[in-house]
Amino acid sequence: MMAAMLRIRIEADHLPGLTCPSPDGTDPPYRNIHVAVQRRDRPAELLAPQRGDAPSATWTLECTTAASPAGTDIRGPYVQGRPGGRFVYLSWGTVDDAGNFAMFRRAKLMLDAVPAEVLDGAVAGGLLVGRLGLTDARGGPLCARVVPPAITWTAERAPRP
């Protein structure tokens, strides 16, 4: 397989709201929370921050793919990790009155958990779509490692420019 262009679209719903308790429950709650995709090697550079009380959030990432010994490798400015362990970070943070984002938690969308036949179809069609809810079982922001069934990956045909 030669290098190919691929878009990854992350479609999220069920966002947790604008406040959430601190992890141990003793510190003040986090307020005015937002979520965004974090750029590789630049944690302060975020793609399209969305309010925690939005009805939904969508991000589209431009990527490339290439064959590797582990299968299809995905690369791009918002793809993290090493070959065979690639992922996308959704960063949760508070936004202050000046618009500054302070991260407090992340969700790691594991690209190595995309079924091979779905990834092959996405490479052929140009679009890989991940759909997930962003509220965890306790009502807070989804964090930690995210794999199916918490996220559903599908291959779709990318719209032509």
Side-chain angles (χ1 to χ4, degrees):
M1 170 177 69
M2 296 182 63
M5 297 300 295
L6 175 71
R7 286 189 181 125
I8 299 175
R9 188 171 66 225
I10 300 165
E11 298 177 355
D13 59 11
H14 297 93
L15 281 79
L18 285 176
T19 62
C20 73
S22 64
D24 63 8
T26 60
D27 291 324
Y30 297 112
R31 299 193 184 285
N32 197 22
I33 64 173
H34 286 62
V35 61
V37 175
Q38 179 183 311
R39 188 175 175 101
R40 182 185 68 247
D41 298 328
R42 298 183 193 161
E45 194 170 321
L46 303 169
L47 177 65
Q50 303 291 312
R51 291 172 52 97
D53 64 350
S56 63
T58 301
W59 299 273
T60 301
L61 316 176
E62 300 290 332
C63 303
T64 59
T65 63
S68 78
T72 300
D73 187 32
I74 302 172
R75 298 180 195 159
Y78 295 94
V79 176
Q80 315 269 347
R82 299 183 184 278
R86 302 273 194 212
F87 60 92
V88 173
Y89 268 139
L90 290 183
S91 292
W92 291 97
T94 58
V95 176
D96 66 17
D97 292 339
N100 298 311
F101 183 95
M103 186 187 69
F104 65 86
R105 194 173 290 163
R106 293 189 288 201
K108 196 175 192 180
L109 309 183
M110 301 305 300
L111 297 174
D112 63 342
V114 175
E117 64 277 4
V118 172
L119 185 53
D120 290 346
V123 170
L127 181 61
L128 176 65
V129 179
R131 293 180 180 92
L132 73 160
L134 291 181
T135 300
D136 68 14
R138 296 177 312 217
L142 182 70
C143 63
R145 194 171 190 274
V146 181
V147 297
I151 187 168
T152 302
W153 293 104
T154 58
E156 297 186 14
R157 185 151 307 279
R160 293 186 180 205

